[in-house]
Amino acid sequence: MKTLRIMIADDHDLMRRGIKGLLLSHANWEVCGEAQTGREAVVKAEQLKPDIVILDISMPDLNGVEAARRIRKASENTEVLILSAHYSDQLIREIVEAGARGYIVKSDSDRDLVIAVETLANHKPFFTPRATEVILGNFNAGGARAKIPEEIRDRLTSREREIVQLLAEGKSSKEVATFLCISVKTVETHRANIMRKLQLHTVTELVRYAVRNQIIEP
């Protein structure tokens, strides 16, 4: 039987070790790599081309939705399973749009994780029952599509989403500029555009927005 190569991306050591132990208890499953940030997950996924990436939604530097989108673009045969601390209708929509085909909440059972990995290994989607309801509700071919609220991805560019996360994590404009290898002036321009688009006025409001949309952890 072919070995299933799995990569785990989570910034919590205990969570990664727990998932790794569960996966390694199964024959022909191998953990080929681990990552602690979203950006590291993208780089390693490009290098390793795993069959499945188990990706925490809230990670430093780059959140799980953005990381999933980039991983799917770089390695189209890699399936992505998103782990979230709690359920969110809007998050489900963003995950589907990003190309991830699996979603479970961290409070779900070990068995749910195993079933999700087995399902994705066969290139079939796995979502929790409540997530499936959201998907069917919005993509029901038999009726009108439910209205989906305007989301971050529709209003901000990929670069702006990166900057939202870095600013919300407490980095200064200079630190963001250094991190992304762009000028401070460019960061300030992006920041002004972000605040205008989201109709925010302070960094505190930006942080609340990022937490509410699971871009960062509270």
Side-chain angles (χ1 to χ4, degrees):
M1 248 181 114
K2 180 187 172 185
T3 298
L4 185 68
R5 301 173 65 252
I6 307 167
M7 193 180 93
I8 306 168
D10 195 301
D11 58 324
H12 296 101
D13 291 341
L14 283 175
M15 180 63 70
R16 281 201 323 279
R17 283 199 288 268
I19 294 171
K20 184 176 182 178
L22 180 63
L23 297 176
L24 293 180
S25 67
H26 287 258
N28 300 311
W29 286 11
E30 167 191 297
V31 175
C32 64
E34 298 179 45
Q36 296 184 358
T37 71
R39 206 169 296 274
E40 184 185 7
V42 174
V43 171
K44 287 195 172 182
E46 289 175 349
Q47 295 170 344
L48 299 171
K49 296 290 193 293
D51 298 306
I52 296 173
V53 174
I54 298 176
L55 192 63
D56 182 24
I57 193 66
S58 298
M59 285 187 294
D61 299 343
L62 194 68
N63 69 78
V65 173
E66 279 301 303
R69 184 177 287 110
R70 296 183 189 192
I71 288 170
R72 289 286 293 165
K73 186 175 180 180
S75 181
E76 60 184 20
N77 291 324
T78 297
E79 297 288 0
V80 178
L81 172 62
I82 294 288
L83 296 181
S84 175
H86 58 274
Y87 175 83
S88 163
D89 286 9
Q90 181 156 315
L91 180 59
I92 295 296
R93 300 184 186 103
E94 293 188 357
I95 286 169
V96 171
E97 292 290 340
R101 297 208 293 172
Y103 170 86
I104 64 175
V105 176
K106 290 182 177 180
S107 58
D108 290 336
S109 69
D110 290 353
R111 183 61 185 155
D112 286 327
L113 177 62
V114 170
I115 294 172
V117 170
E118 290 173 342
T119 305
L120 288 175
N122 291 315
H123 298 286
K124 294 179 180 178
F126 179 92
F127 292 91
T128 57
R130 191 172 176 190
T132 301
E133 287 178 18
V134 174
I135 294 168
L136 292 177
N138 287 306
F139 298 97
N140 186 352
R145 178 170 174 169
K147 184 178 179 181
I148 297 177
E150 189 177 14
E151 300 169 14
I152 300 173
R153 66 165 191 280
D154 299 322
R155 297 156 68 181
L156 302 181
T157 66
S158 180
R159 176 64 91 191
E160 286 170 344
R161 287 192 295 269
E162 281 186 280
I163 290 173
V164 165
Q165 177 164 0
L166 295 172
L167 290 173
E169 287 175 353
K171 291 182 172 62
S172 66
S173 294
K174 185 175 180 180
E175 288 171 330
V176 173
T178 301
F179 190 83
L180 297 178
C181 299
I182 57 179
S183 71
V184 174
K185 184 177 180 180
T186 299
V187 173
E188 292 292 350
T189 299
H190 282 309
R191 178 173 173 165
N193 288 337
I194 289 164
M195 301 301 264
R196 175 180 53 79
K197 288 181 180 181
L198 301 181
Q199 298 181 337
L200 303 176
H201 305 288
T202 67
V203 173
T204 300
E205 289 178 334
L206 186 66
V207 170
R208 287 175 185 156
Y209 187 89
V211 170
R212 191 166 62 246
N213 287 280
Q214 297 190 52
I215 296 173
I216 64 170
E217 291 184 328

